[in-house]
Amino acid sequence: MKIAVDAMGGDFAPKAIVEGVLLAQEKVPEMEFILYGDEEKITPLLTSKKNITIVHTTEKIASDDEPVRAIRKKKQASMVLAAQAVKNGEADALFSAGNTGALLACGLLIVGRIKNIERPGLLSTLPVVGSEAGFDMLDLGANAENRPEHLVNYAILGSYYAKKVRHIKNPRVGLLNNGTEPTKGNELTKETYELLAKEEKINFIGNVESRDILKGVCDVVVTDGFTGNAVLKSIEGTAMALMDVLKTSIKGAGTRGKLGALMLKPALYNVKDSLDYSSHGGAVLFGLKAPVIKTHGATKKEAVAQTIYQIKGMLESNLIPDLVEYFEKTEKEA
């Protein structure tokens, strides 16, 4: 297994990326890594070069670059070279913490879509309160608009991921809506509901509301990209606001409050960790011919390592070849 790594993508690159690779290597020494980026900056960070190759380039895609224009003009950018390596079969997966739009463009225009999947979606495993299980949700923003057939594809993709990577035998699939009744929602969700109810390949449990998804009401949540991205950012914002409220309350409670906080410190860290979806790995641009994974730009070495374990699970499970076979077979049957 070989991973093409955009070593220059992200706020703390290449340090956080290289340190994360080295951390992961302790658990998965059999994996190989191709690091694309500035060799002069990467080499001093390497405490070990075992199974690590550096492909030197000083060109990179900035966070404020226009995605499609950037990948067409910056053909020697670390992200573009990593994507080309996957396309050419030199690597099995692509990982980056860089410009999200550019990575989506690299995935679509360079790596390529699985046949019969018109619009790949972004999938992340999000936390379930009081549990380590989590749930998978897509699309989280790869597409601003979707049609019902796209959401059906997401349901199938999400089910495969939950089965193959997270080892859930019969994952429950829910359609995100503003009510649980079948008649609720707009035209998109109503039409999607009818299609999902007829789909025999998934365990569709009906509509689910956003207030319930963190309770583990289902294993896979399906929605359009605009809604999914809004929900994801609401979860992020709520988690950050909650921690800020706790800090402010503790500081304003005087000595007694600070002593109480000291005693509760382990529990408070558990709350923080349980709301951190990066502990489950990165976001998968799902529906492509190979795994393309994105982590947050401000990611630290621990999240990088966790994403590498996630990629390992995807490759070992034969997930992508199985999906290619499924969607090609579906076309023949149609």
Side-chain angles (χ1 to χ4, degrees):
M1 291 181 287
K2 189 177 289 186
I3 302 177
V5 180
D6 170 18
M8 307 309 292
D11 300 344
F12 305 115
K15 189 174 187 293
I17 308 301
V18 174
E19 289 180 349
V21 167
L22 293 172
L23 183 62
Q25 209 174 42
E26 295 175 10
K27 282 191 177 181
V28 288
E30 72 277 10
M31 294 195 78
E32 296 183 44
F33 301 91
I34 310 173
L35 305 183
Y36 293 84
D38 191 334
E39 190 170 12
E40 291 185 5
K41 294 180 179 179
I42 294 171
T43 301
L45 300 169
L46 290 174
T47 56
S48 169
K49 293 186 179 181
K50 183 182 178 182
N51 289 338
I52 293 176
T53 304
I54 301 173
V55 175
H56 176 68
T57 180
T58 56
E59 193 168 42
K60 66 178 183 178
I61 294 176
S63 60
D64 58 350
D65 279 345
E66 196 283 320
V68 175
R69 185 179 301 146
I71 69 168
R72 286 177 175 165
K73 287 191 173 183
K74 297 183 174 181
K75 296 189 182 298
Q76 294 301 306
S78 52
M79 184 189 293
V80 175
L81 291 177
Q84 288 287 358
V86 174
K87 179 185 178 180
N88 296 337
E90 298 163 9
D92 303 304
L94 165 61
F95 163 67
S96 176
N99 184 313
T100 302
L103 187 64
L104 295 176
C106 281
L108 290 169
L109 301 178
I110 299 175
V111 177
R113 297 178 288 111
I114 293 174
K115 192 175 182 180
N116 297 318
I117 294 182
E118 184 179 344
R119 294 192 184 179
L122 269 178
L123 175 148
S124 277
T125 301
L126 303 178
V128 169
V129 177
S131 170
E132 296 182 359
F135 65 94
D136 301 314
M137 185 169 173
L138 73 167
D139 177 21
L140 293 177
N143 308 281
E145 297 180 0
N146 289 109
R147 297 196 300 272
E149 55 267 31
H150 300 153
L151 271 62
V152 174
N153 282 347
Y154 296 157
I156 295 168
L157 290 169
S159 291
Y160 264 84
Y161 186 90
K163 287 178 185 177
K164 293 274 187 178
V165 181
R166 299 181 54 230
H167 309 296
I168 299 173
K169 188 175 181 180
N170 190 27
R172 300 161 297 162
V173 178
L175 175 64
L176 190 65
N177 211 331
N178 63 343
T180 57
E181 300 87 348
T183 55
K184 284 281 189 176
N186 55 22
E187 185 176 344
L188 173 64
T189 55
K190 288 177 182 177
E191 290 183 22
T192 302
Y193 187 101
E194 292 181 6
L195 293 175
L196 290 176
K198 298 174 184 175
E199 181 55 63
E200 298 178 354
K201 297 293 183 181
I202 63 171
N203 177 20
F204 181 53
I205 64 167
N207 290 326
V208 295
E209 296 186 69
S210 57
R211 67 180 181 183
D212 295 323
I213 57 178
L214 292 179
K215 299 175 184 177
V217 67
C218 60
D219 304 300
V220 178
V221 175
V222 174
T223 186
D224 64 278
F226 181 88
T227 303
N229 189 261
V231 170
L232 177 66
K233 289 177 178 176
S234 294
I235 292 172
E236 287 179 327
T238 301
M240 289 188 289
L242 176 61
M243 297 311 297
D244 287 342
V245 167
L246 287 172
K247 289 178 183 177
T248 303
S249 298
I250 289 167
K251 289 179 180 179
T255 303
R256 183 179 296 180
K258 290 177 182 178
L259 287 172
L262 190 63
M263 297 176 67
L264 288 171
K265 192 174 181 180
L268 292 174
Y269 274 114
N270 285 339
V271 171
K272 182 177 181 293
D273 292 342
S274 68
L275 294 172
D276 182 14
Y277 65 87
S278 67
S279 62
H280 292 284
V284 182
L285 181 54
F286 215 7
L288 301 179
K289 295 176 181 177
V292 173
I293 317 294
K294 168 74 171 70
T295 61
H296 199 284
T299 192
K300 302 292 180 66
K301 63 180 181 179
E302 292 81 9
V304 172
Q306 188 60 46
T307 303
I308 291 170
Y309 307 146
Q310 175 190 13
I311 294 171
K312 178 176 181 287
M314 292 181 69
L315 295 174
E316 286 182 336
S317 68
N318 208 46
L319 173 65
I320 302 301
D322 284 354
L323 283 170
V324 170
E325 182 181 354
Y326 171 82
F327 281 100
E328 287 184 352
K329 181 181 177 182
T330 301
E331 181 190 41
K332 291 175 183 177
E333 291 176 348

